[in-house]
Amino acid sequence: KQEVTQIPAALSVPEGENLVLNCSFTDSAIYNLQWFRQDPGKGLTSLLLIQSSQREQTSGRLNASLDKSSGRSTLYIAASQPGDSATYLCAVQAGANSKLTFGKGITLSVRP
Amino acid sequence: DAGVIQSPRHEVTEMGQEVTLRCKPISGHDYLFWYRQTMMRGLELLIYFNNNVPIDDSGMPEDRFSAKMPNASFSTLKIQPSEPRDSAVYFCASSHRQGSDTQYFGPGTRLTVL
């Protein structure tokens, strides 16, 4: 059974800092991995989707990497801003018709 | 497009009552997903539909939960009878294709069962 772990559960950094959020998964046979953002009281918003054949994806100040063999992904946020404060969840999909398995998320607080 | 629409946004009910949650997916999306989020268990998939047909309901916790999708633009998740342990945020999401496309989430329904 696939398990997705995100540690730590919470992180607080000063504005402007570059930071890395980690995600690990137990079964390396994945189809894709996605990073989502969730603001308080809101639904999830997709940030980046990495197919199993890819190593990384970039969108603006965000860069997500994938290392299937080690069961790890990282989300890099450059020059963090208070508006980046949210919970970040990663999710893996085992196959094209499989469900997403989510981690519990990392709650990020960026202090002005 | 208005995105995925869910109603109600908040629901407070008493144990034993029937609860119906509603979802309108993004037009043109073939897949619809129902999730439940709690602090203890995180985000869990309850059931998903493809072209209005339930494909995987293995996440539905018990017979008290049922979901329907009578047409491409509407789905319901019903709990009957409701119990306090059903208190959670329920999300609906939709996608065009399951494998390669991301899922778009609605704002959720916060359910409190007293």
Side-chain angles (χ1 to χ4, degrees), chain B residues 5-14 16-24 34 46 60 64-70 74-83 86 88 90-92 108-113:
Chain B
I5 299 172
Q6 291 186 248
S7 65
R9 293 295 311 279
H10 301 274
E11 177 81 28
V12 180
T13 191
E14 295 189 346
Q17 296 298 306
E18 176 181 303
V19 175
T20 299
L21 311 181
R22 298 173 176 80
C23 175
K24 176 179 169 55
W34 281 102
L46 299 177
M60 296 286 262
R64 297 184 298 107
F65 286 68
S66 62
K68 294 182 180 179
M69 192 165 186
F74 183 66
S75 177
T76 60
L77 178 67
K78 184 178 292 186
I79 308 173
Q80 180 185 21
S82 57
E83 296 182 2
D86 301 330
Y90 292 81
F91 289 102
C92 175
T109 296
R110 181 173 293 277
L111 173 65
T112 302
V113 183

Side-chain angles (χ1 to χ4, degrees), chain A residues 31-32 34 36 38 41-47 49 51 89 93 95-100 102-104, chain B residues 9 31 35 37 39-43 45 48 56 91 98-108 110:
Chain A
Y31 184 75
N32 66 37
Q34 300 184 49
F36 291 85
Q38 185 175 25
K42 301 287 181 62
L44 280 68
T45 300
S46 178
L47 297 174
L49 185 154
Q51 299 289 355
L89 298 93
Q93 190 170 11
N97 295 314
S98 301
K99 66 177 185 180
L100 288 175
F102 285 84
K104 290 190 175 181
Chain B
R9 293 295 311 279
Y31 288 85
Y35 290 92
Q37 187 176 40
M39 290 291 291
M40 286 294 294
R41 301 175 67 92
L43 198 63
L45 177 68
Y48 79 90
D56 183 353
F91 289 102
Q98 184 176 7
S100 302
D101 280 4
T102 192
Q103 295 179 20
Y104 294 84
F105 281 71
R110 181 173 293 277

